[in-house]
């Protein structure tokens, strides 16, 4: 009887000390590299390149979901795998974005990597700029500074390195009007805002060849 009691106590202690499952760790992308022209593993005589996507292992992860967006057409390819790489057929001469989501079957939380842009090579001689990378604001709510303003900041990238400038659209409607035209070296600006108000904005990048890229509509709440 004494032995049974000791066994039961140990079992209860083991159950009480069991740790909750951990969410997946950070996903680090490897290739295609950020803001680059990728190197296909194969290129057919038609309209597609075979491109290998690879990333580093994330802790506490059972599977990964690769998401590849064709920026011009707005279409998406998705592939779930337990491996650390996948090969997809994608359109030639087209800009793309890609990201990877790590998942663990024991928890609902997921871990999403950064989103990287790249260009699938074709016969083009001029490249459109990539959509800008937003630095600030970096969340759905933004604190107003002492002057009643918030900072919009971004990073532009173009394989030709010939960005001409940026068109900033900003306002309280979900299809905001043009707010300012900025030069290639003007990658931030302050805007006046009112507390507890939702603002919408987008940035269109133009290069010297007239090529453009668009972030699409973004939003935040000023607090």
């Amino acid at each position: 009887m004494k032995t049974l009691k000791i066994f039961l106590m140990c079992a209860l202690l083991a159950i009480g000390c069991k740790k909750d499952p951990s969410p997946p760790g950070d996903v680090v992308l490897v290739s295609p590299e950020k803001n680059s022209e990728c190197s296909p593993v194969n290129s057919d005589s038609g309209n597609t390149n075979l491109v290998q996507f690879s990333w580093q292992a994330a802790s506490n992860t059972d599977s990964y979901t690769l998401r590849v967006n064709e920026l011009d057409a707005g279409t998406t390819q998705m592939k779930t795998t337990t491996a650390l790489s996948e090969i997809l057929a994608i359109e030639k001469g087209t800009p793309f974005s890609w990201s990877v989501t790590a998942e663990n079957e024991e928890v609902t939380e997921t871990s999403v990597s950064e989103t990287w842009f790249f260009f699938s090579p074709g016969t083009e001689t001029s490249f459109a700029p990539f959509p800008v990378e937003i630095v600030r604001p970096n969340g759905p709510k933004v604190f107003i500074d002492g002057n009643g303003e918030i900072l919009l900041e971004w990073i532009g990238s173009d394989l030709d390195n010939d960005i001409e400038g940026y068109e900033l659209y900003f306002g309280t409607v979900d299809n905001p009007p043009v707010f300012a035209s900025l030069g290639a070296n003007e990658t931030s600006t302050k805007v006046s805002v009112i507390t507890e108000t939702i603002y919408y904005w987008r940035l269109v990048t133009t290069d010297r060849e007239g090529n453009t890229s668009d972030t699409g509509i973004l939003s935040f709440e000023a607090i």
Side-chain angles (χ1 to χ4, degrees), residues 40-177:
V41 295
N42 190 24
S43 180
D44 63 25
S45 58
N47 297 323
T48 61
N49 290 317
L50 289 180
V51 174
Q52 183 171 37
F53 298 83
S54 60
W55 52 92
Q56 295 180 10
S59 60
N60 308 313
T61 297
D62 296 319
S63 63
Y64 303 91
T65 298
L66 168 66
R67 182 185 183 96
V68 180
N69 296 318
E70 184 178 339
L71 300 183
D72 288 345
T75 56
T76 300
Q77 291 191 64
M78 297 180 67
K79 184 69 177 293
T80 298
T81 179
T82 57
L84 299 177
S85 67
E86 279 293 332
I87 294 176
L88 295 181
I90 62 174
E91 195 78 12
K92 291 180 179 178
T94 306
F96 288 85
S97 68
W98 74 290
S99 63
V100 174
T101 301
E103 301 174 359
N104 183 328
E105 294 177 355
E106 296 183 328
V107 296
T108 57
E109 298 96 327
T110 60
S111 175
V112 183
S113 71
E114 293 182 345
T115 297
W116 282 6
F117 297 107
F118 71 95
F119 202 91
S120 173
T123 59
E124 65 290 329
T125 58
S126 177
F127 297 92
F130 293 111
V132 300
E133 177 184 350
I134 304 301
V135 178
R136 293 182 180 87
N138 55 9
K141 296 180 183 292
V142 182
F143 288 102
I144 305 172
D145 67 18
N147 297 317
E149 299 176 319
I150 63 99
L151 178 67
L152 305 178
E153 184 178 4
W154 59 90
I155 298 172
S157 179
D158 188 316
L159 291 176
D160 299 316
N161 197 29
D162 66 344
I163 290 176
E164 186 75 17
Y166 307 96
E167 200 86 352
L168 170 63
Y169 296 73
F170 180 80
T172 56
V173 294
D174 58 10
N175 186 20

